[in-house]
Amino acid sequence: MAAIAECSEGALFETLWVPHVSFRAIRLGNRRLQRCPVHRRWQLVHRVAPATLTDEQLAAAARYPAGPVL
Ligand SMILES: [Zn+2]
């Protein structure tokens, strides 16, 4: 299922966060190392609850939709 994640530099994007399945990501509990689509490099990202975000933040995340898991 799609989730919203925030990288260590505060960029928001959508990502796939499937329990017990991880491709191209190293899981560290609620944080994981993955390639940030905004900064285009590996960063520590964490999940963000959509309810805590403003419409503007949700729109920002939607600019980086979760792609297929490769
Ligand atoms: Zn980033």
Side-chain angles (χ1 to χ4, degrees):
M1 62 181 279
I4 295 178
E6 180 179 18
C7 81
S8 56
E9 292 182 38
L12 293 162
F13 54 91
E14 294 182 351
T15 190
L16 294 174
W17 205 290
V18 183
H20 309 305
V21 178
S22 65
F23 297 97
R24 305 176 67 192
I26 300 169
R27 295 180 57 83
L28 300 165
N30 203 39
R31 293 170 183 270
R32 67 181 182 184
L33 200 59
Q34 81 171 54
R35 209 172 149 76
C36 172
V38 181
H39 297 104
R40 298 177 181 280
R41 55 189 162 84
W42 288 79
Q43 292 187 308
L44 194 62
V45 309
H46 62 274
R47 281 186 72 166
V48 182
T52 67
L53 300 175
T54 64
D55 287 347
E56 192 173 78
Q57 288 174 310
L58 289 170
R63 289 203 301 269
Y64 298 93
V69 178
L70 301 176

